[in-house]
Amino acid sequence: MNRKSAASVTPSIIRRAVEDDSGGRHFRVGTEAKSVWVSLHELVHDERRAMAKIGETGIPAITVKSKNIVKEALERQTEFDPALVATRPGWVRYNIYVHANGDVQRPPDDDVDIEVIVTFQPDPGWSPIGTLQEWRKGLDRLIPGNQLVFCT
């Protein structure tokens, strides 16, 4: 039986590599069919969790040898795209917010042309229901004419 060695899959395990505005490095790792985001920080501080995530994509990360092959591929990565990275819901910049469902909200007049990448597992249970206009209209019945009521 002719089996592929773990080394033969390393050129294609890194689907994408980005560097955030704080210098943190993040890798989209996996196969063509399935991949996950793993940060260098996560790999250094919680290798077991990071390797478990990588293993779920079909990349062998069980033995010390196969883990080292994956880590060496990440270590050799030298080209990174700039991006804002959301590792959890919340503000990623003073005017850019990422919701728990993975939706990114930024002002329509935002002139910063930088990609926002969501690396956490989005929760579709937090998807919006209705519109901001409907929400304001509903609140206006409770507190009419209040100009301080706003929301993004």
Side-chain angles (χ1 to χ4, degrees):
M1 183 172 167
N2 187 6
R3 294 175 17 173
K4 285 185 178 180
S5 70
S8 68
V9 297
T10 56
S12 63
I13 67 166
I14 301 174
R15 315 307 296 172
R16 181 101 191 267
V18 299
E19 187 170 78
D20 64 30
D21 55 345
S22 299
R25 294 185 168 181
H26 306 264
F27 306 90
R28 185 83 175 166
V29 179
T31 64
E32 206 170 304
K34 185 175 181 182
S35 58
V36 293
W37 282 102
V38 178
S39 71
L40 182 59
H41 180 269
E42 181 181 11
L43 191 58
V44 169
H45 293 284
D46 195 350
E47 180 182 335
R48 180 182 231 167
R49 181 173 178 259
M51 286 298 170
K53 281 171 55 176
I54 292 169
E56 291 172 8
T57 69
I59 299 294
I62 299 167
T63 66
V64 171
K65 182 179 178 181
S66 62
K67 287 178 184 179
N68 285 341
I69 290 170
V70 171
K71 291 188 291 187
E72 287 169 4
L74 297 176
E75 196 171 68
R76 283 192 308 270
Q77 181 68 32
T78 58
E79 294 181 24
F80 295 86
D81 297 325
L84 292 177
V85 177
T87 58
R88 59 180 173 71
W91 295 99
V92 291
R93 191 173 263 180
Y94 69 93
N95 63 344
I96 300 174
Y97 189 85
V98 177
H99 294 271
N101 68 347
D103 287 350
V104 177
Q105 189 166 8
R106 62 193 316 161
D109 60 345
D110 185 22
D111 61 351
V112 178
D113 187 26
I114 191 164
E115 182 180 11
V116 178
I117 294 176
V118 176
T119 63
F120 63 87
Q121 182 64 42
D123 184 349
W126 288 95
S127 295
I129 298 173
T131 65
L132 177 58
Q133 290 76 18
E134 293 169 340
W135 184 80
R136 285 183 176 165
K137 186 178 178 182
L139 276 180
D140 194 45
R141 283 182 279 166
L142 301 172
I143 40 178
N146 189 338
Q147 298 299 314
L148 296 178
V149 177
F150 65 93
C151 181
T152 58

